[in-house]
Amino acid sequence: MQALAATHTLLSNASWENLQIKDVLRVELAPYATLSSGRITMEGLDVSIDSKTAVSLGLVFHELTTNAVKYGALSTRSGKLSVRRIGLLDDGALQIEWEERDGPLVTPPTASGFGQTLISRSLGSGPNGGTKLEYRPTGVVCQIVIPKYGHFAA
């Protein structure tokens, strides 16, 4: 609910016009800004997305942020988070990477919970869009693919 409210506030302030990915990410990270000062980098996220995509991406970012603060890179003073635009895929989809590092040792979960389901289904699935979570020992990595279909402007 918190993620939906934050994204809807952004959309309302922008008169429901396109938002930039960096703005959606910033609003989800805002409660932890002092906690993570200087440990978060964002690159190439000045890409406009439509309202539907903003809401879906806001949910994904909210869940990833919550997990990073509770269990991941943002749960320690040394942890770092990088969210960057990787590029465009052959079909025009936009690829973004969320990468945590220097936090606690990561072990894959033994069961899939609500958060994992939300992350995996919010942006669709398959080659045209979706997410892929990797639980590397060095940190969680999430590959995010936003389908072209007129949902963003690079």
Side-chain angles (χ1 to χ4, degrees):
M1 290 303 198
Q2 198 174 11
L4 285 172
T7 304
H8 276 90
T9 298
L10 271 179
L11 286 164
S12 179
N13 291 342
S15 300
W16 287 83
E17 294 293 321
N18 290 341
L19 291 177
Q20 291 199 340
I21 293 172
K22 66 181 178 183
D23 296 328
V24 176
L25 180 58
R26 278 190 187 128
V27 79
E28 295 305 331
L29 290 169
Y32 313 104
T34 57
L35 169 75
S36 57
S37 180
R39 299 186 299 143
I40 297 173
T41 59
M42 293 186 267
E43 298 174 37
L45 302 180
D46 50 345
V47 176
S48 294
I49 52 176
D50 67 13
S51 58
K52 179 183 175 200
T53 303
V55 170
S56 296
L57 194 56
L59 290 170
V60 171
F61 284 154
H62 180 80
E63 191 60 34
L64 289 168
T65 299
T66 300
N67 289 338
V69 168
K70 285 182 179 179
Y71 317 109
L74 299 181
S75 70
T76 67
R77 290 183 183 264
S78 60
K80 294 177 182 63
L81 170 64
S82 170
V83 184
R84 64 190 179 101
R85 176 181 170 177
I86 301 296
L88 294 175
L89 301 177
D90 290 342
D91 65 356
L94 178 68
Q95 186 175 11
I96 297 170
E97 181 180 72
W98 169 287
E99 181 183 19
E100 299 176 36
R101 62 189 181 287
D102 300 331
L105 180 67
V106 174
T107 56
T110 56
S112 180
F114 174 76
Q116 263 185 301
T117 302
L118 183 94
I119 291 169
S120 68
R121 294 187 181 170
S122 289
L123 291 165
S125 61
N128 296 326
T131 58
K132 179 184 175 196
L133 275 170
E134 296 177 48
Y135 298 95
R136 299 177 184 169
T138 55
V140 169
V141 174
C142 184
Q143 301 294 329
I144 301 167
V145 177
I146 301 170
K148 174 93 170 146
Y149 305 120
H151 293 302
F152 67 87

